[in-house]
């Protein structure tokens, strides 16, 4: 299971790993944009993450680490959301693995400064997802990317997805330039 923490929209993604292959089971978002009380948001995160854990019974949790931005208040809020999601996993004795956003992007795209759209496109290709399976909010694909990054860290998977040496190589092979 992967989580992209957020206080307004939190993404989640579930992978099934069979041997050295991964496939998407589910992904989505926990939408809290209409909630104004920050403590009620944290309670909602805990309930929803616990519910997702109960529904899908993941073996492990990969969560994106908060990154340091210019706004320390935003980082503190994000850290609280991450902590509550981690607490839900701890309650169920699920091992937790934390990955920096740069590490996740690098693992999937080979570029630590890749955009959310580039990460989503690589997931689409690697997991053979249709356009209909891609969510409205890219927080869900970011969460799935955290789970896929963890999958990649667990060993060298066999994938039919093409390998790209760089973004230029990707663009050239996909006739983007």
């Amino acid at each position: 299971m992967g989580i992209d923490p957020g206080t307004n929209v939190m993404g989640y993604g579930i992978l099934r790993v069979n041997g050295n292959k991964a496939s998407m089971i589910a992904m989505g978002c926990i939408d809290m944009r209409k909630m104004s009380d920050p403590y009620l948001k944290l309670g909602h995160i805990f309930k929803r993450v616990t519910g997702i854990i109960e529904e899908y019974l993941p073996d492990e949790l990969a969560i994106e680490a908060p990154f340091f931005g210019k706004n320390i208040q935003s980082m503190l809020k994000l850290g609280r959301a991450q902590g509550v999601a981690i607490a839900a996993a701890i309650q169920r004795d699920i091992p937790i693995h934390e990955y920096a956003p740069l590490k996740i992007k690098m693992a999937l795209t080979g570029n630590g400064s890749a955009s959310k759209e580039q990460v989503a496109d690589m997931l689409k290709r690697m997991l053979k997802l249709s356009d209909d399976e891609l969510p409205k909010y890219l927080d869900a694909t970011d969460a799935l990317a955290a789970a896929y990054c963890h999958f990649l860290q667990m060993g060298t998977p066999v994938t039919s997805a093409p390998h790209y040496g760089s973004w230029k190589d990707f663009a050239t092979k996909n006739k983007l330039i």
Side-chain angles (χ1 to χ4, degrees):
M1 175 176 180
I3 293 219
D4 177 36
T7 55
N8 288 319
V9 178
M10 178 177 276
Y12 66 89
I14 310 291
L15 283 180
R16 170 174 283 133
V17 176
N18 188 4
N20 61 358
K21 294 189 181 190
S23 58
M24 185 200 60
I25 299 300
M27 72 174 145
C29 289
I30 302 167
D31 189 346
M32 297 160 286
R33 291 174 297 158
K34 293 183 180 177
M35 301 174 80
S36 59
D37 186 310
Y39 302 109
L40 291 179
K41 284 182 179 187
L42 295 175
H44 186 69
I45 290 168
F46 187 83
K47 286 179 193 170
R48 288 287 289 123
V49 171
T50 299
I52 293 164
I53 289 170
E54 289 172 356
E55 182 176 353
Y56 294 103
L57 304 172
D59 294 322
E60 299 181 65
L61 172 69
I63 191 162
E64 186 173 300
F67 58 93
F68 181 74
K70 292 181 180 180
N71 187 335
I72 193 72
Q73 288 301 316
S74 294
M75 186 178 158
L76 288 170
K77 288 176 187 176
L78 188 61
R80 286 178 178 171
Q82 182 201 37
V84 168
I86 288 171
I90 289 170
Q91 179 189 14
R92 298 289 186 201
D93 295 319
I94 297 172
I96 296 136
H97 307 274
E98 187 176 38
Y99 295 97
L102 184 129
K103 172 112 177 158
I104 295 169
K105 292 174 182 180
M106 194 69 151
L108 269 77
T109 69
N111 177 4
S113 61
S115 69
K116 287 179 174 281
E117 290 81 9
Q118 290 168 324
V119 170
D121 189 59
M122 287 305 287
L123 278 171
K124 180 181 170 186
R125 293 168 189 274
M126 288 188 272
L127 295 172
K128 297 180 176 123
L129 303 175
S130 69
D131 287 337
D132 294 343
E133 291 175 291
L134 292 178
K136 178 180 177 183
Y137 296 106
L138 295 178
D139 303 86
T141 52
D142 282 355
L144 194 63
Y148 199 83
C149 174
H150 181 62
F151 164 68
L152 293 173
Q153 298 303 306
M154 301 314 294
T156 306
V158 174
T159 177
S160 60
H163 174 73
Y164 304 104
S166 66
W167 269 108
K168 184 176 181 184
D169 184 34
F170 172 82
T172 303
K173 288 180 180 174
N174 288 283
K175 298 180 176 113
L176 299 174
I177 57 171

